[in-house]
Structures are given as C-alpha cells and as structure tokens.
Amino acid sequence: MTTLVSTTRVIRIEVRPTDTAGDPVASRLLREARALGFAVDSVRSARVYLLEGSLSDSDVERAVSGLLADPVAETAVVGAMETSPGETTLEVHPLAGVMDPTAASVRDALRELYGIEAEVSSGRRYDIVSGAAKTIAERLLANSVVSAIHEGAFHPGELPKGHGYELKVTRVPITDLDDAALEKLSRGAHLFLDLEEMRAIRDEYRTLGREPTDIELETLAQTWSEHCVHKTLKSRISYRHAGAEARGREDRIGWRGRPGHTVNDDGSVTIENLLKSTVAAATFELIEEGVDWTLSVFVDNAGIIGFDDEHAVCVKVETHNHPSALEPYGGAATGIGGCIRDIIGTGLAAKPIASTDVFCVATPDIDNVPAGCIHPRRILSEVVAGVRDYGNRMGIPTVNGAVWFDDRYVGNPLVYCGCVGVMPSDKIAGDPEPGDRIIALGGRTGRDGIHGATFSSAELTDTHADEFAHAVQIGNAIEEKRVLDAILRARDHVAGEGSGNRHRASGEDGDAGPLFNAITDCGAGGFSSAVGEMGEKLGAEVHLERAPLKYDGLSYTEIWISEAQERMVLAVPPRNLEALKRICAEEHVELADLGHFGTPSGAQGPELILNYGGTEVGRLPMSFLHDGIPTPIREAVWRGLGTGHSGLSGGGEGRGGDGAAEPTTREALLRLLAHPNIASKHEIIRQYDHEVQGNTVVKPLGGPLQRGPMDAAVIEPVPGSGRGIAIGCGLATNVGDPQRGGDPYEMALAAIDECVRNLVCVGADPERIAILDNFCWPSCRKPENLASLVRAAEGCYDGAKAYRTPFVSGKDSLNNQFTTEDGRTIEIPPTLLITGVGIVEDLERVVTMAAKRAGNTLAFVGRRPTTLRASHFGTLFGDRGELRTADLDADPRTAATIASLVAGGHVAAAHDVSDGGVLCAIAEMLIGSDGTLGASVDLSGLHDDPLVAAFGEGSGGYVLELDGAGLEAAERACGGALSVVGSLDGSGSLAVGGETVGVGALAEAWLGTVKV
C-alpha cells in the first residue's frame, strides 16, 4: 500500500478488487450496459473514501489495513490509481447532505476501533472503455436527485458542511387571501391542500386574530395530507351511476342496509365515511359476530391479532411510490425501513420477524420512457436492491411478494413494503401520560425528506425530480438495527438487574417493565406527525433546538417536518429516563429529550407548543389540528364496464380475434409461462435473505430444486411452539382494469379470494386469517376514479364478510399518475393489494405446491373456468367472454374444505389457480418438482373450449395432488366441485390435448424472463 499522506485536509483512499478476486460490480455494469445496446469493451470499479481530519500517516495506515481494505482480495492506495489507456474515469458521489450510510459506518468504526476522529464521505469509481461512458453512468449508475457524477478522480479540498442558522420567525399572510391566492399559496409552498382546506385554515386564523407562522402552516399541511389522514377514504361521498350498462350492474352490490349508506330517491347513494362504512365496518361486524382474536385494529401503526396465550402478531403494509419514482433505491429502502419501524412502534414495541414486498412497474423492454421518468429496468433493479439491502442488513427475512408489469406504471411505479412482528400479548397498547418526556431515539435529523408527506399526496409530473429532490430519504439499516435492539431492551427492562450484560434487561433504577408509556415511529411528517399524534389528547411542548442534526443550518421548520430516517419517538416517565439513557449508550443509540407531553388547555383544549432557542415559533390547538379538516361531499360517477380491448402493453400483441389463428395449447402455455407477470422472480428472490432468524418453514421458492413458486410463506414466530404464521397476498389488477372492461368491485373480491387461497394452500386455517388493504389509485378528483375506488371498497366489505377475514390495517395512495411534458396524463390502473396472515395450527401439516410422486392424481377443486376475459391469455391473444364474478357462497366453502383436507393430511401438494389458469398451475407444480416427474392431463371436463379450460382465470380454483386415500377423502369432501384432471408419471414431460412439452422446456420458459 502507498503510505503517503495527502497534503490537503481531505485524504482520498481508493480500494479496488484484485484481478484474482474478480469485480462483480464491474461485471454487472458491463452486462447491463450491453443489454441496453451500448458498445462497451471493459469496466473496472473501485470504492472511494474521503476522510477529513487531522490524520497522521499511522492513522491512515490503520484505517486502510484494519478497516477499509481486505488484504487478500483488494488493493488500496492513498490518492488515485492511474487510468489505463482508453478508459474514461467517472465517479459517483452523494450530493451534499444526502445520507451516506457507508460513510457513517466507517466514521463510527474509526472512532470505536482506533479513536480516530474524521468526517467521511464515500463514492464509487468506474473506469469504462466505451464511447458512451458518460451516458452509461447517467442511465445506470447515478440519480441526479441524490448523486453527482464526476469526471476523473474526485478529490475536493474539503467536505461540504452546513452553515449556522440564525433564528427568524416567519409569518405567512393568509387571513386576507382570496380563493385564487389561497390555491397559489398551497401549490407554491408545497402544502398540496385543496381550496376548502385552505379556506378552513384562513378562517381559523381570522378567529385567532393573527397570521400563521410557517411552522404552523407546515404542521397543518402534514397532518391534513392525504398520506397521513386518508381524507378521501374517510370523506362523505355521493355515488351515482350513469348509463344503462352501469345501472344494469348495480344489483351485484347490495347498497341498501349497509352501514353508513343511504340510497336516495334518484338512485344515488350517499356514503357518510367510505372507510368506516366498508373496510372498517366489515371488521367490527365480524368482531361482534364472534371473531375475538383480533386484538387491535385501525388504532395503531399496525394491526394486531392473537397468536397464542402469551404472544400476539402484528402486521403492516405501506406504499412508498412517489419517492421510489424519484430515487428508487432510497425510496424502496426507506419504504421497508419505515414499515419495519411501524412494527417496532406498535403497542409497546414488537420484534420484526418477516418482511414482504410487491412491485408494480412498467415492462423493462418498453420503447418510450417519458422525460422525467427513470427507465423501468433501473426502477425494478434499484427497488429490489433497496428492499434487499435494508432487510438483509437488519437481519429480517423477506419471505413473500410479487411483481406486476404494466406500462401505465412508467411514471409512477408502486412499491408496497410489508412487515410482520411478534410481541408479548400484554404489551399491545400504550398511551402517553401527562409529564412524560418526549424522547427521540436514533438517527439525526437532516434536510432529507422535507415535504415527503405532502409530496406523496400530490400528482407526479416531469419536473418533480428537480422540484422535490429534498423529499428523497436515504436510509441506514444499521442505525435502525441499533434502535430496535435498544427499544426491545427498554420494553423488557427489569429494575435493579444492572447493565453489565447488554443482551439482558438493563438499569439500576426505573420501573420494572417497559421504560416508556408509548412509542411511535417518526415517519411521514417527521416530528410533526409523531409528536402531534401522540400528544393529541394531552398537548405537547417541544424544544426543537434539542434535536441532533446531521449538519448545521436547518431552520426550526425543517427540523420539525423532516422525514429523515431511523428515528422513533417515545413517551418516557422522568423517573425512567436515566435507565433508558444507559441502554441507549450501550447500544450506541443517540437520545434527545425534546420536551414533554401535557400542556395547560387553551380556549380550544390542549395545545401543541413549539419553541426554538427559547422563542415560541408555533402554537396550535390540538382540536383544530386533528379535527378541523373540512369534509366536503365528493362526487363519484360510475359509468359501467368498458368494452375492453385485445392485448395490453407489455404483454405482447393481441391475436386470436377477427379470424386470426388460435394458438396451440403448447404455444400458449410457453408464452404464458414466459409472461413477466407469471414468470419466475427467482433473480429477485435470491437476492433476499429469507432464512435469517431461523424461523422460516416455507420459503418463497421450494421443492427439491428450490425453484417452485410457493403460494405463501410460513414462519414460526415463537420457536418451538409448533404453530406458524402463513403470509400471502392477492392482486387481481386485470379484473378491475378499466381498459379491459373490468370492475373494481370484482377485483377486490378476487384479490381477497386469491390471498385466502394462497394461505389455505400451505396449511392456514381460514377461520384465523386477517387481511390488510392497500389501495393505489389514480387521482380521485376525477369522479370516475372515485367511483371505482368506492366499488373496490364495497368489494372489500363483501369479501371480508363472506370469508370472515377481518381487515386489521391498511393504507392508501390516491394520486398515482404522471403528467408528461406535453401534457398527457398517464394514470396507473386501479391497483388493490390484499395481504393476509393466517394461523397454521400444526407445522407438521404444512403443504407446498411442488409435485411429489409419480402415480398420484391431479384434481381440480372449485368453480370451473368460464371465460378468457381479464386473463393473461387475453392479454397475449385477445380477451373474450364475460367478466367472471366471484361466488361469495361457494368460494369460501371451497377454501374451508381444502383447509380441512390439508389439516387431515390428505393432500400431497396444493396450488391455487390464478395467473395463467389451470394448465399454468400444473406446469408450475412440475417445475417445482425434482425434474423427473411429468403429467398426463385431460381438461375436457372443465369446459368445452380447451383454451378456456386450460387458461381461463377466476376465483375459487385449486389444483391438488392426491394419493389413493387422499382422492377418496377429497371426493367425499368436495363432491361435484372436484374434477380429476390428470395423473403424475415419470415421463419428465407434460401431455395435454395430444400435445407434449418437456418439463425442461417449461422451466426454461418460466425461468428466463424477469431480469434485474
């Protein structure tokens, strides 16, 4: 190693892999660049560290040899290595103020290991032999929202730093504004409040007799944002239909008699509170009917259900769509990080034990990407990497998920992130007490994430990458792991036990039991939402200058609304503060005392009081903050089902109509298995650690070759209990797609049904399944879109009641569309994700989908396919037939029957029939087997049209593998709902309708499509 010390204040260290070790980073870039059509001869890469401080030669030597470089596999130099002939050197470094987790870890390690104090920044060097090196870097290596590309070796004279902030309280004139000025203020200040809401604020300040401060206005905007308050789903809605076709479909929804619904004389329906009258109503009605295992619903960061006498399980799924459109890696990482914090912040803290994700993106081979959009190939690659890195580094297995492709997600991808946790059943609730200290734990506050909540509530346009760079957050999983460890220790604190063992409860004082009375994560809205929500009933007084900052120069408003990551807020009794401080010191978690809960009541009750440096900068009545938002009636107009069309973007050209030749069964099957929505996602799944913590019973991929697509994951939350939790999801976007004559009501039913079937197939008890809703919709200011949302919510009500699956939590994102530079608006298709968790009573009876043994029978159970409408066959070859509707009597009965057969040990393998139909389900079962099994299949008993029989999609269908005794039991249980469709053999091929295709060919088609 070169040992010269840089003569500047900043020392540059470069670490490059040796030739024998290989360079996977460079290899990946080379592969991706060539895949996009760039001519590239070679790529080399290196890590770059910039250290600023008073460092001696020996300091640098220790940093390099002891920390930054592997002496066996890497070469390090102080300074910069020479560029070889023909190479273009480009470096990617984070912009000033952007979270740099690598640098933070290096800085902490230098301090802990060697006592070296230095500021650190990290980057990556690329030496590329290509005439398009700069374009490659812009397309594949850097996002201008958070990173800068430097030509040549980057070696600044000093690292960027913030500058001091001088207090200046700003008041915003609003009391004299007219409507036009109010709307201008809302948009220009990034408040994204509508006119009625701006009027309400103006009128409140007229009553108060003063103008608002900037921090008060920002607090109202965060609290009243769509993202935080779900004001559309909670609004009063006037729903009506227009057109004969729409009226003809209304009988499917029984409007009369529903809670919170009034059917008017003109046929319209007034809904008092959409969420309360549908999703929540179903849950509370089920609880009244005896579903007594839901412990906490709709009141905390996550829903909680009972697991056994001593433990509870909580679950939450969120979206992080708009941040992921701007910076997909950071957006997805902070999406999963925030959902994990929701679990940590539920009740009096839960331990995260599993994560899920679902991504909806445009097809990677899309021809035209609008200006302002990141290419979907990079979107998918980076959102996967964001979830992967965060979950893997925290040691939380990612066990379940899906990917859905449609080109209408090109400007507004959807990133769903979920997490499941386990907690003691006696610690499922907490509330702050008067006098409790407001304690912030974890990461420091920065300028990242400013206006994240309001930005997430707005529509994306081609200029948002520039306008909202400050809304992007970059997470640090290691920081969050430290916070988690500290909080779990504080939850399980035992007074007087001492603090010598960091893995046991700590403290010589403080109460036994949790050291805090309440906890929540610091998510959307930052301290504004966390403290504002916790202090709603008591009031809160906050001193903002006490918050630790990432860098100087943040104003009091920025400190208050920043959504910088890895921060939790606790309500701590003063007597417990010292014990908590000791735990945090041992876990290397920063703690800040920001103030206290409980304030004298003003004229309107408890208040939120905000101070900075001894000066009051804001004061708001909690009643106005939380209850002052106006609820005007919103208009929803349903115009009935569209006519649909043949073929959709991303699925291939429509064919089969207007006299075109039908595909053969073999051709259709191979094309469907290769469809990106159906094809294997193994390139994504294998990047996740799905076995860490050692509780995973059924992994995402299984079977002898570890490639079969499992219907759901199964984990054992309490080791040694023999009981499990199944985790699955349902997504039926095609069924509700307006471009294909879809109905969102039917989509909701289909998604619930698919979720339940996935869980039942692995052994979950359908009487102990809890579900979550996540609505992602285009703008509901459009009456037609709001009507489709209403219909989906009504479907959630009927589906939950029919399956007796209570909703325990949920989230919505209702402005998912993108306006291009030429004024076109690209709306996403209405997308409803249903996530479910179900109790598996006996882990010994868990079943998987992989085919097991030659000689066993394949049987279809459920309602037979009837149509190709809204199917993937229809995507490829042309829709035909009527939209299939769910059967709310037969389908739940079938699920219960399948569950009893699985619990009785009668089923060798089970697989739900969903995307691609019955034949694709059977093909997947063979792909999941040992490679030698084959099957002879006859589907003629399912439908007269062999293509409908093979590829029709709909709710309620299962394929079972049964031995002789199992077949007898299934025939007794299922009666006419069971059809024998084939048998397994040792041929290694699938024979159907006179055509044969080898399992190897099936696997090749299925495995080779989705690349990340």
Side-chain angles (χ1 to χ4, degrees):
M1 188 200 77
T2 304
T3 57
L4 294 177
V5 176
S6 170
T7 57
T8 66
R9 294 184 59 211
V10 174
I11 297 169
R12 174 189 167 95
I13 299 170
E14 193 173 296
V15 181
R16 191 184 297 272
T18 63
D19 293 339
T20 55
D23 190 343
V25 172
S27 297
R28 175 166 182 153
L29 176 59
L30 182 66
R31 183 176 67 252
E32 292 180 346
R34 287 174 174 172
L36 291 178
F38 293 108
V40 186
D41 291 340
S42 66
V43 178
R44 295 189 300 152
S45 78
R47 300 193 310 277
V48 177
Y49 302 96
L50 303 174
L51 278 59
E52 183 179 49
S54 300
L55 305 177
S56 66
D57 286 5
S58 60
D59 288 338
V60 177
E61 173 70 29
R62 284 185 295 171
V64 174
S65 61
L67 180 64
L68 300 180
D70 182 334
V72 175
E74 295 176 319
T75 300
V77 300
V78 176
M81 297 183 186
E82 294 294 329
T83 300
S84 298
E87 289 182 331
T88 298
T89 296
L90 298 168
E91 291 192 1
V92 178
H93 290 260
L95 294 172
V98 170
M99 170 63 76
D100 187 346
T102 300
S105 295
V106 171
R107 180 195 64 219
D108 293 346
L110 289 173
R111 180 184 300 118
E112 293 296 324
L113 293 175
Y114 306 117
I116 297 173
E117 294 292 338
E119 291 301 316
V120 184
S121 179
S122 72
R124 177 75 69 167
R125 170 176 171 166
Y126 300 90
D127 298 300
I128 306 171
V129 179
S130 172
K134 185 69 179 292
T135 304
I136 292 170
E138 291 170 346
R139 290 281 298 276
L140 294 174
L141 299 179
N143 183 343
S144 61
V145 172
V146 294
S147 303
I149 298 174
H150 302 275
E151 297 185 21
F154 179 59
H155 195 165
E158 62 178 1
L159 298 183
K161 297 176 178 64
H163 301 286
Y165 169 69
E166 182 177 343
L167 175 64
K168 179 181 178 182
V169 179
T170 301
R171 295 194 177 272
V172 182
I174 192 174
T175 56
D176 292 331
L177 297 185
D178 60 16
D179 288 352
L182 289 172
E183 290 182 314
K184 182 179 180 181
L185 173 62
S186 178
R187 181 60 180 85
H190 296 164
L191 306 178
F192 294 111
L193 298 174
D194 64 27
L195 180 57
E196 289 291 334
E197 292 157 353
M198 293 298 292
R199 287 171 176 165
I201 294 172
R202 178 193 62 191
D203 294 346
E204 171 71 8
Y205 279 94
R206 284 176 175 173
T207 300
L208 294 174
R210 64 179 179 87
E211 302 290 358
T213 63
D214 52 352
I215 199 170
E216 292 170 345
L217 206 55
E218 291 282 9
T219 302
L220 288 163
Q222 308 302 314
T223 307
W224 290 9
S225 68
E226 185 73 71
H227 185 83
C228 291
V229 79
H230 318 295
K231 53 195 175 188
T232 298
L233 273 168
K234 292 180 179 178
S235 66
R236 191 166 181 249
I237 295 174
S238 174
Y239 172 96
R240 63 183 177 86
H241 49 70
E245 184 182 359
R247 286 193 295 272
R249 295 289 299 182
E250 289 310 304
D251 290 342
R252 179 67 172 162
I253 302 179
W255 298 99
R256 296 185 184 277
R258 289 176 183 257
H261 291 63
T262 302
V263 179
N264 303 309
D265 292 341
D266 63 357
S268 65
V269 181
T270 301
I271 306 168
E272 294 303 322
N273 178 315
L274 182 59
L275 183 64
K276 183 178 179 180
S277 301
T278 55
V279 173
T283 294
F284 291 119
E285 288 175 15
L286 288 170
I287 291 172
E288 290 177 0
E289 294 168 11
V291 177
D292 58 359
W293 42 268
T294 57
L295 303 181
S296 176
V297 296
F298 306 121
V299 296
D300 210 330
N301 288 324
I304 308 175
I305 64 172
F307 179 71
D308 59 24
D309 292 341
E310 297 180 358
H311 301 89
V313 167
C314 56
V315 59
K316 181 63 176 290
V317 180
E318 291 251 5
T319 58
H320 224 225
N321 304 336
H322 289 186
S324 299
L326 266 64
E327 210 300 292
Y329 179 88
T334 55
I336 188 62
C339 200
I340 292 169
R341 287 197 305 279
D342 278 332
I343 295 300
I344 300 171
T346 293
L348 290 176
K351 177 186 177 182
I353 57 174
S355 293
T356 72
D357 59 33
V358 174
F359 307 128
C360 299
V361 297
T363 49
D365 57 355
I366 186 174
D367 292 330
N368 297 310
V369 177
C373 299
I374 300 173
H375 195 282
R377 184 181 299 276
R378 184 169 167 204
I379 288 278
L380 181 58
S381 176
E382 294 199 10
V383 296
V384 169
V387 172
R388 174 199 69 206
D389 289 352
Y390 213 99
N392 290 359
R393 290 167 183 168
M394 280 203 72
I396 300 171
T398 301
V399 297
N400 187 75
V403 183
W404 188 270
F405 293 93
D406 188 299
D407 286 351
R408 287 168 288 176
Y409 296 116
V410 66
N412 201 132
L414 306 183
V415 175
Y416 299 92
C417 298
C419 191
V420 178
V422 64
M423 63 199 308
S425 54
D426 62 350
K427 294 182 173 64
I428 64 171
D431 290 298
E433 298 289 341
D436 281 353
R437 305 306 302 176
I438 302 170
I439 302 300
L441 296 187
R444 292 191 162 211
T445 299
R447 197 164 278 121
D448 44 326
I450 301 294
H451 290 135
T454 54
F455 162 61
S456 293
S457 305
E459 174 192 340
L460 289 175
T461 71
D462 64 298
T463 64
H464 269 74
D466 297 323
E467 187 177 1
F468 286 98
H470 55 269
V472 172
Q473 308 148 48
I474 304 297
N476 185 346
I478 303 304
E479 182 70 46
E480 187 155 326
K481 180 61 168 66
R482 290 196 291 249
V483 171
L484 168 62
D485 292 345
I487 287 173
L488 292 181
R489 288 183 61 193
R491 182 196 71 184
D492 299 330
H493 173 75
V494 177
E497 194 167 301
S499 58
N501 186 342
R502 65 184 300 273
H503 297 292
R504 301 180 65 189
S506 168
E508 291 139 4
D509 55 6
D511 296 333
L515 293 175
F516 49 90
N517 287 326
I519 181 174
T520 194
D521 78 304
C522 206
F527 291 137
S528 169
S529 60
V531 178
E533 291 170 9
M534 292 179 75
E536 178 180 357
K537 305 301 182 184
L538 299 176
E541 182 167 343
V542 182
H543 299 270
L544 293 165
E545 76 281 358
R546 299 178 185 174
L549 304 182
K550 293 178 182 176
Y551 35 83
D552 293 334
L554 270 68
S555 70
Y556 59 83
T557 299
E558 290 175 320
I559 296 170
W560 181 235
I561 67 172
S562 167
E563 297 176 25
Q565 296 292 292
E566 288 77 48
R567 300 176 303 159
M568 305 291 293
V569 175
L570 285 68
V572 180
R575 63 185 177 275
N576 293 340
L577 192 53
E578 288 305 314
L580 179 62
K581 286 180 178 179
R582 275 193 288 274
I583 290 175
C584 289
E586 291 172 1
E587 297 293 346
H588 302 281
V589 172
E590 195 161 12
L591 176 152
D593 185 341
L594 302 182
H596 64 271
F597 290 107
T599 61
S601 293
Q604 299 182 49
E607 293 181 311
L608 175 65
I609 304 170
L610 304 175
N611 303 286
Y612 184 92
T615 299
E616 183 174 296
V617 295
R619 181 183 288 259
L620 279 168
M622 285 292 192
S623 58
F624 181 68
L625 180 62
H626 292 285
D627 302 319
I629 184 171
T631 55
I633 194 163
R634 300 171 187 250
E635 297 293 326
V637 180
W638 175 244
R639 301 192 182 281
L641 305 184
T643 58
H645 66 276
S646 294
L648 277 180
S649 59
E653 295 301 320
R655 116 173 225 218
D658 300 325
E662 294 278 23
T664 66
T665 300
R666 184 182 192 280
E667 176 188 4
L669 176 60
L670 291 174
R671 288 277 303 278
L672 283 166
L673 288 174
H675 190 288
N677 286 346
I678 299 173
S680 173
K681 310 305 184 296
H682 68 98
E683 287 207 358
I684 295 172
I685 293 167
R686 296 194 193 284
Q687 297 184 48
Y688 302 142
D689 187 339
H690 40 261
E691 296 181 272
V692 65
Q693 297 191 24
N695 295 333
T696 309
V697 178
V698 176
K699 298 175 290 186
L701 297 173
L705 302 179
Q706 294 294 293
R707 67 183 187 185
M710 299 296 106
D711 292 288
V714 179
I715 59 175
E716 187 178 23
V718 181
S721 67
R723 306 180 85 223
I725 288 286
I727 306 168
C729 62
L731 190 71
T733 305
N734 278 354
V735 179
D737 190 344
Q739 290 194 17
R740 302 183 69 177
D743 185 345
Y745 174 80
E746 304 295 346
M747 174 179 69
L749 298 180
I752 293 172
D753 174 75
E754 183 186 15
C755 180
V756 169
R757 284 186 289 137
N758 281 328
L759 297 171
V760 164
C761 279
V762 297
D765 179 358
E767 295 185 0
R768 290 289 302 274
I769 291 175
I771 58 177
L772 298 83
D773 61 281
N774 285 97
F775 297 90
C776 285
W777 242 247
S779 173
C780 288
R781 294 178 183 273
K782 186 176 176 181
E784 291 82 359
N785 289 341
L786 182 56
S788 70
L789 179 68
V790 168
R791 294 188 69 81
E794 302 292 342
C796 287
Y797 175 85
D798 284 346
K801 291 297 296 291
Y803 284 93
R804 297 184 64 77
T805 50
F807 286 98
V808 295
S809 183
K811 192 72 173 179
D812 59 89
S813 176
L814 303 182
N815 279 292
N816 292 286
Q817 56 193 45
F818 181 86
T819 298
T820 65
E821 59 184 348
D822 60 2
R824 293 180 298 115
T825 297
I826 304 172
E827 295 185 345
I828 70 161
T831 307
L832 170 63
L833 173 67
I834 298 293
T835 303
V837 293
I839 302 294
V840 179
E841 295 290 350
D842 184 359
L843 290 175
E844 295 296 326
R845 291 296 173 90
V846 164
V847 171
T848 64
M849 53 72 64
K852 304 298 191 302
R853 186 176 297 110
N856 283 352
T857 296
L858 294 175
F860 174 84
V861 179
R863 290 188 302 129
R864 295 166 177 82
T866 60
T867 181
L868 291 171
R869 169 70 62 185
S871 68
H872 282 78
F873 181 96
T875 299
L876 292 174
F877 304 107
D879 276 327
R880 62 176 187 259
E882 296 297 322
L883 186 69
R884 174 168 171 166
T885 58
D887 189 320
L888 296 180
D889 293 321
D891 294 343
R893 285 200 307 269
T894 301
T897 301
I898 298 296
S900 67
L901 290 170
V902 171
H906 301 299
V907 177
H911 197 21
D912 81 307
V913 176
S914 55
D915 299 335
V918 175
L919 197 58
C920 279
I922 294 172
E924 289 174 346
M925 296 173 76
L926 294 175
I927 292 169
S929 70
D930 63 5
T932 66
L933 286 180
S936 178
V937 174
D938 179 3
L939 303 178
S940 60
L942 300 185
H943 197 278
D944 293 339
D945 184 333
L947 293 176
V948 173
F951 306 118
E953 300 174 17
S955 60
Y958 304 77
V959 176
L960 305 182
E961 178 190 343
L962 306 162
D963 62 16
L967 179 59
E968 292 180 4
E971 287 176 332
R972 288 194 302 270
C974 301
L978 183 146
S979 300
V980 173
V981 295
S983 61
L984 296 173
D985 55 43
S987 67
S989 62
L990 174 62
V992 56
E995 299 181 72
T996 301
V997 56
V999 173
L1002 298 175
E1004 183 179 357
W1006 186 71
L1007 289 167
T1009 301
V1010 179
K1011 304 292 185 182
V1012 292

